[in-house]
């Protein structure tokens, strides 16, 4: 839904990175009047995250964007030269690394139930952040959401019934303000939200460079007493991380000289960088998490809520998960049907996952130091990751398939991201989620669960048919299973039907009692 220039938006999103774009799209699907403000006049082309994990790829899938992501994945692999051939030889799975220890795709146990349950998106993992932002911007354009570039937030006042936002383009009155404006979030600072955590130990650089003598560099990761560097996987792609002094101004533009000097110190060579092909980035292992993700009508998501070393693109994926979780809940608040306490579950569900990611990256920092103790630890972990069980464990963690939330319900699927599910008509359940609502898969012979959910028809799409377990699954708009059962729902089986009704009321609010359509047959 587009925002009329003469109307106050229900929600204003600050930041047009992947997190802000996803959040705005989810709000638009909920019928919310939303706008995006971005301080940069043009999209950033700097080197950032290279890949998406399973929950992010499945989020794209549920919104009809999987084919576009798969196209980017294939094009990205083609540009990666020798690495692409290795990846293709090892299969479709992208494994990543832990503290520079590259995980061998040949050691992954693909029969592991948690991996096998999420195979549909395996060919959509290599989606670099600039390409993801372009894909999401097109999605937002189709939804009619305005993105106002070159507009920076300068002040805010939460009035209790809305937020007065000062910007470089004039004041904005909005119902809610979502800060998706990065680790140096202006929204977080203006809202007075504390940002505790641990200080950085190293400075890293990421660049796509022209190198006169690349033969002087080791392909892959290499360590020294100063830190580590990586050359590849694409020709000219360089990553360095160097322990010691951290620049006071980490936001200053990265120069060719900085990248070359760091690369020379870490490689012990006189390698020559002749040009930077794109804007290089500087990063650290600064690890912080906002004291709260919500203060009144101001909310935080993505790097505004948590920062850490960007090992494995965890930050992008964690932020997209925030946006998917927050979008439908804030949309329900605006629409007026949110059950009591729904918006509070955003912080409650996402905070523990954010804290885990911070510790996951801190552990890698400890392993990448140049001292003898860290080198010994790295050797032991390398042995563990060189086993089938060790590699499978790490890949499951990195890919996000083990993520879950503590939700009511005894079925093992509850609180986890929905696995690949196929109704009887040959479609996939994800194909029915493009409009952003709840999905109910009902495999009972008489459509028992779909009939029970009919009064929520404006919020819940029922897909019926088939004979398999689970026989009933309720999936929230963010892809999380809210209820599931293996029961057939026969007469007298009140546990499963009562459980479904409780889940509907808990997550989808009170029934409307005015079904807008019949369940899909």
């Amino acid at each position: 839904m587009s925002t009329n220039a003469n109307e106050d938006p229900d929600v204003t999103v600050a930041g047009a990175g992947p997190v802000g774009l996803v959040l705005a799209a989810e709000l638009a699907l909920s019928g919310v009047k939303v706008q995006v403000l971005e301080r940069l006049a043009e999209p950033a082309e700097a080197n950032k995250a290279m890949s998406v994990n399973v929950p992010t790829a499945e989020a794209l899938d549920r919104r009809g964007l999987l084919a576009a992501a798969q196209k980017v994945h294939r094009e990205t692999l083609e540009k990666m030269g020798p690495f692409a051939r290795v990846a293709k030889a090892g299969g479709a799975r992208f494994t990543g690394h832990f503290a520079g220890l590259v995980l061998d795709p040949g050691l992954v146990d693909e029969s592991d139930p948690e991996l096998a349950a999420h195979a549909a998106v395996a060919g959509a993992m290599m989606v670099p952040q600039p390409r993801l932002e372009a894909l999401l911007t097109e999605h937002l354009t189709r939804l009619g959401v305005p993105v106002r570039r070159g507009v920076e937030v300068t002040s805010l006042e939460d009035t209790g019934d809305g937020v007065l936002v000062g910007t470089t383009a004039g004041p904005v009155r909005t119902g809610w303000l979502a800060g998706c404006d990065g680790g140096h979030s202006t929204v977080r600072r203006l809202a007075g939200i504390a940002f505790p955590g641990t200080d950085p130990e190293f400075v890293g650089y990421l660049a796509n460079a022209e190198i006169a003598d690349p033969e002087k560099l080791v392909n892959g990761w290499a360590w020294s007493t100063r830190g580590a560097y990586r050359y590849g996987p694409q020709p000219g792609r360089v990553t360095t991380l160097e322990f010691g002094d951290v620049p006071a101004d980490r936001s200053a533009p990265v120069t060719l000289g900085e990248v070359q000097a760091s690369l020379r110190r870490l490689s012990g060579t006189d390698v020559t960088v002749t040009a930077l092909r794109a804007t290089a980035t500087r990063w650290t292992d600064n690890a912080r998490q906002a004291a709260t993700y919500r203060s009144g009508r101001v909310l935080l998501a993505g790097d505004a809520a948590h920062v850490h070393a960007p090992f494995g693109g965890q930050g992008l994926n964690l932020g997209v998960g925030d946006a998917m979780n927050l979008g439908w809940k804030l949309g329900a608040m605006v629409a007026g049907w949110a059950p009591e306490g729904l918006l509070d579950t955003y912080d409650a569900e996402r905070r523990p996952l954010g804290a885990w990611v911070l510790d996951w990256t801190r552990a890698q920092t400890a392993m990448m130091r140049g001292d003898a103790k860290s080198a010994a630890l790295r050797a032991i972990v390398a042995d563990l990751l060189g086993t089938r069980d060790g590699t499978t464990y790490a890949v499951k963690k990195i890919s996000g398939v083990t993520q879950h939330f503590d939700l009511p319900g005894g079925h093992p699927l509850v609180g986890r991201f929905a696995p690949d599910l196929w109704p009887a008509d040959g479609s996939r359940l994800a194909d029915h989620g493009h409009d952003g609502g709840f999905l109910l898969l009902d495999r009972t012979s008489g459509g028992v669960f779909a009939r029970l959910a009919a009064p929520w028809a404006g919020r819940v799409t029922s897909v019926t048919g088939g004979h398999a377990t689970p026989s009933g699954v309720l999936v929230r708009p963010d892809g999380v299973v809210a209820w599931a059962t293996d029961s057939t729902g026969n007469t007298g089986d009140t546990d499963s039907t009562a459980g479904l009704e409780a889940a509907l009321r808990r997550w989808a609010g009170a029934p409307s009692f005015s079904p807008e359509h019949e369940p899909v047959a």
Side-chain angles (χ1 to χ4, degrees):
M1 177 181 291
S2 63
T3 301
N4 188 301
N6 297 319
E7 295 178 352
D8 293 335
D10 296 318
V11 180
T12 294
V13 176
V19 178
L21 296 173
V22 169
L23 177 57
E26 292 302 292
L27 289 165
L29 288 172
S30 296
V32 171
K33 298 192 297 291
V34 57
Q35 67 172 352
V36 180
L37 307 182
E38 169 56 53
R39 65 178 183 83
L40 297 179
E42 299 293 337
E45 291 296 329
N47 293 290
K48 293 186 178 180
M50 279 293 295
S51 60
V52 300
N53 67 2
V54 168
T56 298
E58 290 183 335
L60 297 174
D61 186 15
R62 284 192 303 278
R63 300 303 179 255
L65 303 175
L66 180 61
Q70 289 173 329
K71 181 175 182 291
V72 172
H73 170 83
R74 292 191 297 269
E75 292 172 352
T76 301
L77 280 182
E78 289 302 320
K79 294 178 180 178
M80 293 172 70
F83 177 82
R85 290 191 290 274
V86 173
K88 290 177 180 177
R93 183 169 298 281
F94 175 73
T95 54
H97 72 91
F98 183 84
L101 302 173
V102 178
L103 301 168
D104 182 353
L107 289 176
V108 178
D109 181 5
E110 297 291 351
S111 67
D112 181 278
E114 288 179 301
L115 290 174
H118 299 272
V121 299
M125 295 301 171
M126 295 300 292
V127 185
Q129 183 166 328
R131 297 292 302 276
L132 178 62
E133 289 183 10
L135 186 157
L136 292 171
T137 299
E138 293 175 2
H139 178 50
L140 213 58
T141 299
R142 289 191 293 269
L143 293 172
V145 176
V147 178
R148 300 173 59 191
R149 290 194 168 274
V151 179
E152 188 169 0
V153 173
T154 58
S155 66
L156 69 85
E157 178 187 357
D158 187 338
T159 62
D161 60 349
V163 185
L164 292 174
V165 184
T167 80
T168 52
V172 173
R173 171 79 185 185
T174 187
W176 299 79
L177 176 64
C180 304
D181 50 343
H184 298 285
S185 172
T186 298
V187 172
R188 185 187 65 237
R189 175 177 57 81
L190 292 172
I193 298 174
F195 204 40
T198 53
D199 293 331
E201 296 184 35
F202 68 74
V203 60
Y205 297 97
L206 175 60
N208 283 331
E210 297 285 351
I211 300 177
D213 40 12
E215 67 278 0
K216 294 181 178 180
L217 301 175
V218 175
N219 281 314
W221 283 94
W223 288 265
S224 75
T225 56
R226 290 179 173 269
Y229 79 91
R230 181 182 72 173
Y231 180 62
Q234 307 101 310
R237 185 176 174 91
V238 173
T239 304
T240 72
L241 59 92
E242 199 168 356
F243 288 83
D245 294 336
V246 177
D249 183 7
R250 298 197 297 272
S251 63
V254 176
T255 66
L256 182 151
E258 281 183 274
V259 174
Q260 178 175 272
S262 181
L263 194 55
R264 285 181 172 183
R265 287 191 296 267
L266 291 167
S267 68
T269 72
D270 60 353
V271 63
T272 299
V273 178
T274 58
L276 299 180
R277 296 173 185 161
T279 303
T281 56
R282 183 189 296 106
W283 48 283
T284 74
D285 60 316
N286 182 38
R288 300 184 181 278
Q289 188 174 31
T292 179
Y293 287 14
R294 177 191 176 191
S295 176
R297 286 179 169 262
V298 178
L299 300 116
L300 304 176
D303 288 352
H306 39 70
V307 295
H308 50 81
F311 299 131
Q314 291 285 348
L316 181 151
N317 292 294
L318 182 61
V320 170
D322 291 345
M324 292 298 297
N325 189 291
L326 175 59
W328 71 273
K329 295 174 181 178
L330 184 53
M333 289 291 292
V334 173
W337 59 260
E340 183 178 358
L342 178 65
L343 195 55
D344 293 334
T345 66
Y346 167 57
D347 185 290
E349 291 179 2
R350 297 302 300 178
R351 172 173 298 281
L353 183 56
W356 175 83
V357 170
L358 263 65
D359 283 345
W360 181 261
T361 59
R362 287 183 179 120
Q364 294 180 74
T365 294
M367 278 183 52
M368 299 183 90
R369 297 185 186 117
D371 60 276
K373 292 178 181 178
S374 296
L377 175 62
R378 191 163 57 244
I380 293 171
V381 175
D383 281 345
L384 291 172
L385 294 180
T387 66
R388 189 172 179 82
D389 286 346
T391 294
T392 301
Y393 168 84
V395 167
K396 285 167 60 176
K397 290 293 188 181
I398 292 170
S399 68
V401 298
T402 62
Q403 293 180 14
H404 66 280
F405 307 107
D406 185 16
L407 305 186
H411 195 280
L413 286 180
V414 172
R416 296 184 175 273
F417 285 96
D420 300 333
L421 293 168
W422 288 268
D425 62 3
S427 66
R428 292 181 304 122
L429 187 63
D431 297 334
H432 300 270
H434 297 180
D435 292 336
F438 289 80
L439 293 175
L440 174 63
L441 176 61
D442 182 355
R443 287 168 164 163
T444 63
S445 58
V448 175
F449 303 135
R451 288 201 305 273
L452 188 153
W456 284 268
R459 299 166 214 154
V460 180
T461 296
S462 295
V463 185
T464 62
H467 302 281
T469 56
S471 56
V473 182
L474 178 66
V475 182
R476 301 188 327 193
D478 57 354
V480 174
V481 175
W483 165 87
T485 184
D486 296 331
S487 167
T488 59
N490 291 330
T491 302
D493 177 16
T494 58
D495 288 345
S496 58
T497 53
L500 173 57
E501 182 172 0
L504 287 166
R505 290 183 179 275
R506 178 182 180 87
W507 300 110
S512 63
F513 295 105
S514 56
E516 297 177 6
H517 60 270
E518 294 298 320
V520 177

